[in-house]
Amino acid sequence: MSYPGYPPSGGYPAFPGYPPTGQESVYPPAGQYSYPPVPGGYPPAGGGGTYPAAPPSAGYAGAAGYPAPGGYPGAPQAGGMPPYSGGPGFGVPPAGPGFGGYPQPPAQSYAGGGPAQMPGYPSGQAPSPMPGQPAAMVQCTQGTIQAAPNFDAGRDAEILRKAMKGFGTDEQAIINVVANRSNDQRQKIKAAFKTMYGKDLIKDLKSELSGNVEELILALFMPSTYYDAWSLRHAMKGVGTQERVLIEILCTRTNQEIREIVNCYKSEFGRDIEQDIRADTSGHFERLLISMCQGNRDENQTVDYQKAQEDAQRLYQAGEGKLGTDESCFNMVLASRSFPQLKATVEAYSRIANRDLLSSIDREFSGNVERGLKAILQCALNRPAFFAERLYYSMKGAGTDDSTLIRIIVTRSEIDLVQIKQMFSQMYQKTLATMIASDTSGDYRRLLLAIVGQ
């Protein structure tokens, strides 16, 4: 796979200040997975802590090892699911069953199962299903950047040329174009610019811009797959490894995205990503990342509740139920099951262990493998909340982790940034735009806010 103009002759220049020192924590695309509707709702209305009744043909209501509602030790009764505390981050979940305070996705997040007006969609419209995917299982996600109507690549190329020609730079004109075009449209602008002026748009932008606004605009002009591959390469290049970048990308992508990233990494950088991971990581964390690189996660959206029960029991016996931890069991389940299936497993686990699975991973693991396993589960439970947390901590406290902030805003801008903004406000009692405005300045702030939308 090749991306025209990437890297430019002489190689793609490093972004200023990248890799950043100190913390590093983000993630790019596709929030397609969430918990599919179950007839009668899941859990039943008013019964936050009970399993849904199964149709007799399923045979699992009190049969085949599937306990009846309330049949687990310490299982919560109706209304027993603890409410989200509203505190920052996910932290160590409170004791007892449930999802450890992890905020639930916006209500009615599925086409066919929600109210007439779905968040972010006009007149209740929902996205079209992928081929072979039931319409009722398409999650309503939406980016803040949409493809511009009446798009004219040549006209945009001319606007950018005028903005950079002569003395000074019209940064606002550049912002107006790049913040309101899809990534595919930006690639067309880049090609039109070279055709019309015989010059490389990326090189011209670099000569006119600097600092964080340069990094942000160059990221916007990278093809999405290349940006992920580039981020992974720079996370492992040179002294030290930015493990959080590896977790963010490899633990959150769809199978197709993973495979495209692996191929791009090979074609653009001439390197095998598995070999680089083995050279830069070790132990159970290395094995988890290698598993992620295969792009073989089950993506069947149908939940097998019997398997969820069996997996939950298996995880309990591999961790809380024994002295020591069988790390390979956690790797196998979390690396191979679909996200909807993992969400059902989390629910079942809380009833078996009288503790949620995120809390058990806190107790059984540490370091990067703990962060990787939790990232997978958090995405299964509520992907927008997962990215909202990363954004919050990129700006919290002294200084700003600009590379993390840029990476999340850019990679989620066409996928689910609308939902991320909603979760951010719910979790931190302030808007994402407010926090960005207080932590950034100048053209950098104006471009970020233009992407995020007010």
Side-chain angles (χ1 to χ4, degrees):
M1 184 182 301
S2 179
Y3 295 95
Y6 279 93
S9 56
Y12 199 90
F15 282 162
Y18 197 100
T21 56
Q23 76 265 31
E24 180 58 39
S25 152
V26 256
Y27 296 67
Q32 301 178 19
Y33 305 101
S34 189
Y35 202 69
V38 173
Y42 190 95
T50 59
Y51 267 86
S57 60
Y60 59 71
Y66 191 95
Y72 291 102
Q77 300 306 310
M81 195 69 73
Y84 174 55
S85 64
F90 304 100
V92 179
F99 296 142
Y102 200 89
Q104 294 304 294
Q108 309 292 354
S109 61
Y110 284 95
Q117 181 68 32
M118 295 183 182
Y121 282 86
S123 306
Q125 294 176 3
S128 300
M130 296 293 288
Q133 186 178 16
M137 293 184 181
V138 182
Q139 189 179 18
C140 294
T141 56
Q142 183 184 16
T144 54
I145 292 181
Q146 309 291 328
N150 305 315
F151 171 68
D152 184 333
R155 181 181 59 203
D156 285 346
E158 186 176 1
I159 291 171
L160 294 178
R161 172 66 174 151
K162 288 180 179 178
M164 294 183 285
K165 189 177 181 180
F167 182 75
T169 305
D170 185 350
E171 288 88 354
Q172 189 59 52
I174 298 174
I175 290 172
N176 291 342
V177 170
V178 300
N180 295 287
R181 305 293 184 271
S182 67
N183 188 278
D184 181 65
Q185 289 174 334
R186 291 184 214 113
Q187 305 314 311
K188 291 180 170 66
I189 294 169
K190 191 165 56 179
F193 193 92
K194 183 168 284 189
T195 298
M196 294 167 67
Y197 304 112
K199 302 184 70 178
D200 188 286
L201 175 59
I202 302 302
K203 288 182 178 178
D204 276 15
L205 287 169
K206 280 190 65 64
S207 69
E208 298 290 331
L209 305 168
S210 62
N212 291 322
V213 71
E214 175 190 352
E215 178 177 346
L216 176 53
I217 286 181
L218 295 185
L220 287 165
F221 272 103
M222 286 189 192
S224 300
T225 299
Y226 181 90
Y227 187 32
D228 277 354
W230 182 91
S231 297
L232 290 170
R233 176 69 190 121
H234 281 262
M236 294 184 280
K237 188 177 181 180
V239 180
T241 304
Q242 298 167 49
E243 290 87 354
R244 291 180 185 271
V245 178
L246 305 183
I247 292 168
E248 166 202 319
I249 296 175
L250 295 175
C251 293
T252 64
R253 297 298 191 269
T254 65
N255 290 343
Q256 181 179 349
E257 288 163 350
I258 289 288
R259 292 166 187 161
E260 289 174 352
I261 290 166
V262 169
N263 290 336
C264 177
Y265 194 94
K266 180 72 172 179
S267 64
E268 297 300 321
F269 306 114
R271 303 180 66 89
D272 184 278
I273 194 169
E274 285 191 29
Q275 291 180 5
D276 282 357
I277 287 172
R278 288 192 175 96
D280 274 60
T281 63
S282 61
H284 297 295
F285 181 54
E286 173 195 328
R287 290 193 275 279
L288 178 64
L289 294 181
I290 295 298
S291 293
M292 295 297 99
C293 281
Q294 306 314 303
N296 284 328
R297 180 181 298 283
D298 179 12
E299 292 187 334
N300 183 352
Q301 300 298 286
T302 302
V303 173
D304 183 335
Y305 296 102
Q306 180 63 34
K307 180 186 284 187
Q309 162 66 13
E310 293 167 357
D311 281 347
Q313 186 67 46
R314 184 181 289 120
L315 292 173
Y316 179 73
Q317 294 299 332
E320 296 278 0
K322 65 176 289 186
L323 184 64
T325 306
D326 181 357
E327 293 88 355
S328 63
C329 178
F330 280 82
N331 192 103
M332 183 274 290
V333 173
L334 271 66
S336 62
R337 304 296 189 250
S338 72
F339 286 127
Q341 186 70 31
L342 284 177
K343 189 168 185 180
T345 301
V346 169
E347 176 87 357
Y349 186 92
S350 71
R351 301 169 186 282
I352 292 175
N354 198 25
R355 182 190 308 279
D356 68 82
L357 187 51
L358 283 169
S359 177
S360 289
I361 289 175
D362 266 330
R363 292 160 57 91
E364 298 292 325
F365 294 88
S366 62
N368 291 313
V369 68
E370 174 196 348
R371 284 188 280 271
L373 293 172
K374 288 174 71 175
I376 294 169
L377 281 184
Q378 288 167 347
C379 281
L381 293 173
N382 186 336
R383 189 182 299 263
F386 172 71
F387 287 110
E389 183 194 39
R390 270 39 181 192
L391 283 171
Y392 178 79
Y393 283 102
S394 74
M395 294 179 281
K396 184 178 183 291
T400 303
D401 181 358
D402 292 294
S403 288
T404 289
L405 175 60
I406 289 169
R407 194 164 56 248
I408 295 181
I409 295 297
V410 170
T411 58
R412 309 312 295 183
S413 62
E414 293 182 50
I415 300 167
D416 58 357
L417 193 51
V418 168
Q419 284 72 27
I420 291 170
K421 287 165 57 179
Q422 292 170 349
M423 291 310 307
F424 193 97
S425 297
Q426 178 184 330
M427 293 163 66
Y428 303 111
Q429 291 77 53
K430 66 174 73 174
T431 67
L432 176 58
T434 297
M435 198 161 183
I436 287 174
S438 66
D439 255 59
T440 60
S441 61
D443 295 320
Y444 177 46
R445 174 168 59 190
R446 281 190 286 275
L447 179 52
L448 282 172
L449 292 177
I451 297 169
V452 168
Q454 300 304 307

